[in-house]
Amino acid sequence: MSRVQKTRTDRFKTAILFVATAGLIAGLAGWVLGRPDIAHLFWIAGVVPALAALIIEILRSLRSGEVGLDIVAALSMSAALLFGETLAAAVVAVMYSGGTFLESFAEGRARREMHALLSRVPRTATRHSDTGLQDVPLDEIAPGDRLLIRQGDVVPVDGTVASELAFVDTAALTGESLPVRLERGTAAMSGSTNAGEPFDLTATHEAKDSTYAGIVRLVEEAQASKAPMSRLADRWSLGFLAITVSIAFAAWWFTGDPIRAVAVLVVATPCPLILAVPVALVAGLSRAAHFGVLIKGAGPLETMARIHTLILDKTGTLTDGRPQIVSIASADGMAEDDILRLAAALDQASKHPVAQAIVTAAKARGLDLPLPSGVAEIPGEGVTGDVDGRHVIVGGDGFVAGRVGRPSGGFPATAAGSVVVGVAVDGQIAGHLVMSDPLREGAGAMLDGLRAQGIGRILLATGDRADVAERVTQGLGLDGVRAGLTPDQKVLLVLAERQHGPVMMVGDGVNDAPALAAADVGVAMGARGAAASAEAADVVLLVDRIDRLGPGIEIARASRRIAVESVIAGIGLSVLGMIAAAFGYLSPVQGALLQEVIDVAVILNALRALRIAPQEPTIPQALAVAAGQSDITQGTTP
């Protein structure tokens, strides 16, 4: 269903609730004023639209082979109208339309909050023309057009680099956390981000035929093939329907009084199921949002409570996604802080992600960074300049060694995927900074907590190299590592894992979007993740913390448990009420009022979900230190 259709449906449900409520109130006013004839007309006017909409929904469900609790509500309203119990029918209409409105409200609130996340998706590109630069819609770009890609811009279409050099961040597409160097004539994929200076791109494909568009199509196909999630209440429908019809038929058969059957149907109206379930789940949605977990509706929350297999992306999900210094090796006895201070002071003049990571690390240590002078940057190679009267060179080991007339190398052995940054001061190698993409703090503790909550299988799925992926996961006790995967291969992995039970996929990049859509529950890292992954996901972590996943699952399971408790209590009370009505102790109106009391009881119980207090993850200091030392990710030297 499209957004426009969904909006129209939500408005229609709101209108039905308004009409039913207005009819009930107007009818009560007429009754108080001594005009029962007008009261009956108002009650009928409020019931008929709700009943008509309900019958249409039942027919649609039956065509798709589904049988829900809607049938019980339709029977009770129809029987009450048929035998003149219009007040009872009006009460049932209000309660039923209120339940469907609550479900729509939950999904609508999630969609409104998602709008802010998705508003950053680029819609235009900057194209060279005879009259200068023009901003044009993506669908107007044709092969051969020359585009300007500014720093931070997303490459809008597939093309080739038309400038001497470009640096693009392909983490969203391939999982590589550090920028990739592209020379003139090299292909650049749409969906990657310019991480360096502005460059020109010659388009080779239209937007609809580019890499990014292909991934979007994968998302759409995965969503279309995704099994629909039925409402929790509907799983009780057949048994409850059989009990209701049996008691109503028996009451009519043995007494010959059809009003007893009407009373049974009114008491049996599954308002406890229709109301308690969405109330508990909506409360769970609100509670999860409080912990930075945005769940797009009651269906995903319910499924989240039954997850068996967890599949994690690596870069930006299990790891931080940003290079950090893991060690500093001194070559001539210079203190580590001095090496870092001089390198960071010079790198203030560079916009390269590695340079900015060095500056961030120095500031984190509280180092004073003077402004450099005489700065010269060779894009993708390194930077030279003067800091406090000393000539400093920072860059790739080969670049720095060549500038000081030394052979490259000579630094301690590093693990696969690490980035080594050389630092030279006054013509001598001062040392090397070893950088990597570290595990997120608390990742190991989070995985242990998820296993304790009943997650049976945890896998890593990444587009990165196998040696890097295995290095990252050492000591995490994963059930499997799948490396070098393309977006469609991630989808196949998700589908294959479904044989073990419901699957949750967690990712942050464009390349993860198809797998997020194919999973039973897709979770996106929304704080820094790609808009495509946030769009395809069922759950978005609004804060850049993977450890929010544990509280999110705990809230989902507690909300579902409270919903089931409310359902069982509501059904039990309704069955007792039906028996009382069958023996003539309750009239239809009394049955409706009793049903109101049951509704209030189960709703109050469902609202306990607002007080769910998940166990907050704790991050032992030793674990955080170990995490910073154990993870390596693939990258290129600056």
Side-chain angles (χ1 to χ4, degrees), residues 216-270:
V216 170
R217 283 192 292 272
L218 277 175
V219 172
E220 294 171 346
E221 292 169 2
Q223 288 175 328
S225 64
K226 190 172 182 177
M229 290 179 286
S230 62
R231 294 183 302 175
L232 183 149
D234 286 342
R235 297 173 196 157
W236 304 76
S237 59
L238 287 177
F240 190 73
L241 177 60
I243 293 172
T244 299
V245 172
S246 298
I247 295 177
F249 180 78
W252 193 353
W253 177 267
F254 287 108
T255 66
D257 184 3
I259 300 301
R260 291 198 182 187
V262 173
V264 169
L265 291 174
V266 169
V267 176
T269 300

Side-chain angles (χ1 to χ4, degrees), residues 79-92:
L81 287 179
L82 180 63
F83 294 101
E85 298 290 341
T86 53
L87 175 56
V91 172
V92 172

Side-chain angles (χ1 to χ4, degrees), residues 24 164 168 185 299 320 382 479:
L24 175 61
E164 288 299 324
V168 295
D320 189 65
D479 296 292

Side-chain angles (χ1 to χ4, degrees), residues 285-327:
L285 295 178
S286 298
R287 193 61 177 158
H290 176 76
F291 287 87
V293 183
L294 175 62
I295 304 175
K296 300 182 189 177
L301 183 138
E302 182 196 340
T303 305
M304 193 173 177
R306 299 183 292 110
I307 290 301
H308 176 271
T309 300
L310 173 65
I311 301 177
L312 294 164
D313 175 49
K314 182 181 73 67
T315 304
T317 302
L318 191 59
T319 67
D320 189 65
R322 293 171 290 193
Q324 296 183 21
I325 296 174
V326 294
S327 65

Side-chain angles (χ1 to χ4, degrees), residues 15-25 42-43 45-47 49-50 90 93-94 97:
I16 292 294
L17 175 61
F18 176 80
V19 171
T21 304
L24 175 61
I25 294 173
F42 275 122
W43 289 330
V47 171
V94 169
S97 57

Side-chain angles (χ1 to χ4, degrees), residues 156-213:
V157 298
D158 290 346
T160 58
V161 176
S163 300
E164 288 299 324
L165 199 62
F167 287 89
V168 295
D169 182 354
T170 63
L173 298 172
T174 65
E176 292 188 41
S177 59
L178 296 177
V180 176
R181 171 175 174 162
L182 302 178
E183 298 181 352
R184 182 187 294 273
T186 305
M189 292 185 293
S190 60
S192 55
T193 304
N194 182 10
E197 298 299 321
F199 69 92
D200 286 344
L201 178 84
T202 301
T204 57
H205 295 80
E206 297 181 3
K208 64 182 179 66
D209 298 323
S210 294
T211 300
Y212 184 87

Side-chain angles (χ1 to χ4, degrees), residues 447-479:
L447 297 182
D448 291 340
L450 292 177
R451 288 194 186 278
Q453 291 186 29
I455 302 295
R457 287 172 57 80
I458 302 179
L459 307 174
L460 181 77
T462 178
D464 216 339
R465 300 197 320 257
D467 57 343
V468 175
E470 293 191 4
R471 177 76 182 185
V472 167
T473 58
Q474 282 183 358
L476 292 182
L478 299 181
D479 296 292

